[in-house]
């Protein structure tokens, strides 16, 4: 993954989420950034590409919601928030 992709992703995040992600191992940073790029770019025909464990339909679940898909920054922050919740 290119450094500019990670930098662009970090620029979408709130200061709190950015700080948390920067403190994570490089592999975790790349994983979250790649998942965000896949979600933003949509399914390019690969069945394995997509949101994976992120639920975009269940309104009772905190995390990525359908409305977040319309705003890359909201989606980025929702994905990092989910990662933070999983880690705690």
């Amino acid at each position: 993954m290119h450094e500019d992709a990670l930098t662009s992703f970090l620029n979408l995040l709130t200061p709190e989420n950015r700080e948390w992600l920067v403190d994570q191992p490089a592999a975790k940073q790349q994983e979250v950034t790649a998942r965000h790029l896949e979600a933003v770019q949509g399914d390019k025909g690969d069945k394995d590409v997509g949101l994976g464990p992120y639920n975009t339909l269940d309104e009772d679940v905190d995390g990525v919601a359908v409305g977040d898909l319309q705003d890359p920054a909201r989606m980025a922050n929702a994905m990092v928030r989910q990662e933070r919740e999983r880690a705690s």
Side-chain angles (χ1 to χ4, degrees):
M1 174 174 304
H2 298 284
E3 273 301 309
D4 44 335
L6 177 59
T7 301
S8 295
F9 181 71
L10 290 172
N11 287 336
L12 294 173
L13 300 176
T14 62
E16 180 181 14
N17 283 337
R18 185 180 312 114
E19 181 180 336
W20 180 86
L21 189 61
V22 167
D23 288 343
Q24 300 305 303
K28 174 60 80 179
Q29 293 177 27
Q30 292 174 356
E31 174 191 335
V32 176
T33 302
R35 188 171 289 131
H36 180 261
L37 284 173
E38 291 168 357
V40 169
Q41 293 175 358
D43 186 353
K44 302 288 186 189
D46 184 346
K47 290 185 286 187
D48 296 329
V49 173
L51 293 175
Y54 296 95
N55 188 333
T56 60
L57 300 176
D58 188 343
E59 295 175 0
D60 295 328
V61 174
D62 289 335
V64 179
V66 173
D68 292 331
L69 297 176
Q70 298 170 359
D71 182 342
R74 282 180 57 193
M75 183 169 50
N77 282 290
M79 289 178 148
V80 172
R81 185 176 63 247
Q82 275 192 341
E83 290 297 329
R84 289 176 64 186
E85 290 172 2
R86 286 184 181 147
S88 29

